[in-house]
Amino acid sequence: MEIERIRDIITQIDQQILDISQNNDQYVDDYNYTTRIPYQPSTSSVESNWVSGGIVFVVMMIVVCGIGCCISEEVSKLRLSDTFPVGQGLGSWRTYGSVTLVEDGRGQFETSSKHGVQVEGPNSYIYQIAEDQPRENETYTATTWCKAPIGAKCRLFLGSVQEGTEFPIQESNKTITRDGTGNWESMTVTISAEPDQPLAVFLYSETDANPIIYDDLEVRRQ
């Protein structure tokens, strides 16, 4: 909705600029031929155009600042994002059990790399700290996509490292599971952060076989 409003404002600004430009370039027809004579505006016309131009400039600056603030705010909310490209390794991710990068990702767009992370074996997992010092009661949302065969189960957890490494994982609002269907399925968890506890996101495999693939993970602060 905000993007559409910004587009409408920019369109109106473009039209005002075009109108001012046309007012400053008028022509006079002579008796035998057409002579292109730059229009000589009156003093009041010049002042009017200066005022109009100033208003347009101010509005443009407001729009630009607004867009910049929106982008900055969205960037600050994004705490973690990964599409697991094979060539870049696992970086800051920590692993337990069998975890490998594979060329079998969701590929949200035709131009995006179709890579993912495969977690295989009972109680295998991968995790990363998303926020070192979250403020009390701040809201965070973790979203990812998983693909698992029928009979396997995907699990996403967002919480403290201690909770995420204790098995079995306690069922709560901090975790969600998806039964495998053979297709890509989305998973989302939203929590209120606890003070003095680093916030981590975990991706698990809880079955003896049937590897699970995860892709397109994000953690955002609301």
Side-chain angles (χ1 to χ4, degrees), residues 82-176:
D82 206 334
T83 56
F84 305 103
V86 171
Q88 296 182 15
L90 287 170
S92 299
W93 288 96
R94 302 173 189 179
T95 66
Y96 179 85
S98 177
V99 178
T100 54
L101 293 171
V102 294
E103 295 184 354
D104 185 14
R106 186 168 75 99
Q108 182 177 5
F109 306 105
E110 292 183 0
T111 57
S112 61
S113 59
K114 296 184 178 180
H115 299 161
V117 60
Q118 178 176 284
V119 185
E120 184 176 5
N123 298 332
S124 294
Y125 58 82
I126 178 173
Y127 79 95
Q128 184 174 163
I129 303 296
E131 190 82 283
D132 289 321
Q133 295 180 329
R135 296 177 182 176
E136 185 175 6
N137 295 326
E138 277 190 329
T139 301
Y140 290 82
T141 297
T143 302
T144 192
W145 289 76
C146 73
K147 184 173 72 171
I150 296 175
K153 180 180 290 186
C154 310
R155 182 185 290 275
L156 167 67
F157 174 85
L158 184 64
S160 71
V161 174
Q162 181 177 354
E163 291 176 292
T165 54
E166 290 181 350
F167 290 94
I169 302 299
Q170 299 299 312
E171 300 297 336
S172 68
N173 65 335
K174 298 179 181 180
T175 186
I176 186 174

Side-chain angles (χ1 to χ4, degrees), residues 44 71-72 148 183:
S44 61
I71 293 174
S72 177
N183 300 314

Side-chain angles (χ1 to χ4, degrees), residues 34-51:
T34 299
T35 305
R36 298 169 68 89
I37 304 175
Y39 171 63
Q40 301 297 327
S42 64
T43 303
S44 61
S45 177
V46 171
E47 292 176 351
S48 175
N49 286 340
W50 272 102
V51 172

Side-chain angles (χ1 to χ4, degrees), residues 188-206:
T188 299
V189 169
T190 300
I191 68 164
S192 293
E194 299 176 1
D196 305 321
Q197 288 284 343
L199 186 67
V201 58
F202 285 74
L203 306 172
Y204 301 90
S205 168
E206 298 183 336

